[in-house]
Amino acid sequence: MHQPHIVIVEDDEITRKIYVTYLSRLNFHLTEVEDLAGFAHLPTERSIDLILLDLNLPDGNGMILLEKIQKWSSTGVIIITSRKEEAECIRGLTLGADDFLVKPVSPREVYARIQAVLRRIKAKNLNTQHRSQLEFKYFSIDLMLRQAINSVGNTIKLTNSEFSLLQVFISYPDQSLSREFLQDKVSAYSVDIHSRLVDTLVSRLRKKFNTSNYNMIHTVYGLGYQFYSN
């Protein structure tokens, strides 16, 4: 039976131990750290399912960690903080946190919130698996195999960066996307790239996908590009 791995990032030892004591009886694998540096030095052999994140940490704001997590992972994050300002809640949720709790909060409620977030993540993952193969008018794409097929059934050979950019475009169909936005998203999928390389990758994708009847990526002058899904 899978034991969800939860990392508790909390500098107050008493609060941290309350959560550990309660959650350790409920089939969770728990790891506790007291600051950003402690999280950065966690071993990587075990994936993290969810993070309980305090914001007031000795070596920085927990929002810094939240921003980094959202760039490379779909790990669930529940912010638990003494900050009561609405602006902080809005910022945390905007950056990608799944929930925001204001201290004091009982471990029983924390557990209920954890279960709710884990259920949403599981449902999202199942949906992604079911939609790993996407069909478009002139090509299809398999997200699991990282493979594209043209309308006559031939594989379209793509580099890792080209596929990552294509993956970003199909995630935001028919929307105008800036070069900076594309750069950030592609870097999250694969390697860091600069904005001018986005232009190069777009040019390559056009050569591989465009036909006399189909122009896949349109230039949005003064901004970036738009992927036409039909």
Side-chain angles (χ1 to χ4, degrees):
M1 183 177 181
H2 174 63
Q3 247 191 339
H5 182 199
I6 297 176
V7 175
I8 303 169
V9 186
E10 168 63 65
D11 65 314
D12 184 78
E13 185 176 2
I14 294 176
T15 301
R16 204 168 62 240
K17 294 303 181 185
I18 289 174
Y19 296 153
V20 169
T21 301
Y22 189 88
L23 297 173
S24 62
R25 302 174 297 171
L26 299 168
N27 194 42
F28 294 120
H29 177 81
L30 302 173
T31 300
E32 50 181 304
V33 297
E34 62 183 24
D35 52 25
L36 299 176
F39 185 91
H41 288 93
L42 287 176
T44 59
E45 62 266 16
R46 181 163 188 148
S47 62
I48 301 170
D49 295 289
L50 189 141
I51 299 168
L52 300 181
L53 178 63
D54 185 22
L55 298 182
N56 299 314
L57 299 171
D59 54 351
N61 191 327
M63 293 288 189
I64 297 171
L65 177 58
L66 176 61
E67 288 186 276
K68 290 181 179 179
I69 291 169
Q70 296 307 312
K71 287 185 177 181
W72 52 257
S73 172
S74 59
T75 299
V77 178
I78 298 176
I79 293 174
I80 306 179
T81 180
S82 58
R83 298 183 185 180
K84 300 179 181 180
E85 298 86 355
E86 181 183 36
E88 285 293 288
C89 176
I90 292 172
R91 183 186 177 202
L93 295 174
T94 300
L95 288 175
D98 297 275
D99 208 341
F100 191 102
L101 300 175
V102 177
K103 298 175 183 176
V105 56
S106 72
R108 186 176 180 181
E109 181 177 356
V110 171
Y111 170 64
R113 301 297 184 110
I114 289 172
Q115 291 291 80
V117 171
L118 291 178
R119 281 195 300 269
R120 289 199 296 269
I121 292 173
K122 183 177 181 181
K124 182 179 179 181
N125 289 341
L126 286 173
N127 184 55
T128 300
Q129 291 171 12
H130 292 157
R131 288 179 51 79
S132 65
Q133 295 183 336
L134 303 176
E135 298 285 341
F136 298 92
K137 187 173 182 179
Y138 294 99
F139 70 97
S140 62
I141 184 171
D142 191 313
L143 298 175
M144 299 294 288
L145 298 178
R146 293 180 68 81
Q147 185 179 72
I149 307 293
N150 64 20
S151 58
V152 295
N154 295 325
T155 299
I156 302 171
K157 294 183 179 180
L158 299 172
T159 66
N160 186 48
S161 294
E162 289 168 355
F163 188 92
S164 295
L165 180 59
L166 177 61
Q167 190 172 355
V168 175
F169 275 126
I170 65 176
S171 298
Y172 300 89
D174 307 307
Q175 299 181 46
S176 298
L177 306 174
S178 69
R179 289 180 176 84
E180 291 73 20
F181 178 87
L182 294 168
Q183 174 189 353
D184 184 61
K185 291 297 182 182
V186 171
S187 297
Y189 280 125
S190 53
V191 297
D192 287 337
I193 65 170
H194 52 80
S195 60
R196 302 315 301 177
L197 182 55
V198 169
D199 296 337
T200 301
L201 294 175
V202 167
S203 177
R204 291 180 191 169
L205 289 177
R206 283 171 168 166
K207 290 178 181 178
K208 294 181 179 184
F209 285 87
N210 284 4
T211 68
S212 58
N213 300 318
Y214 178 56
N215 182 11
M216 183 175 75
I217 302 171
H218 290 235
T219 299
V220 181
Y221 293 99
L223 178 66
Y225 300 100
Q226 181 175 359
F227 164 64
Y228 279 24
S229 58
N230 294 317

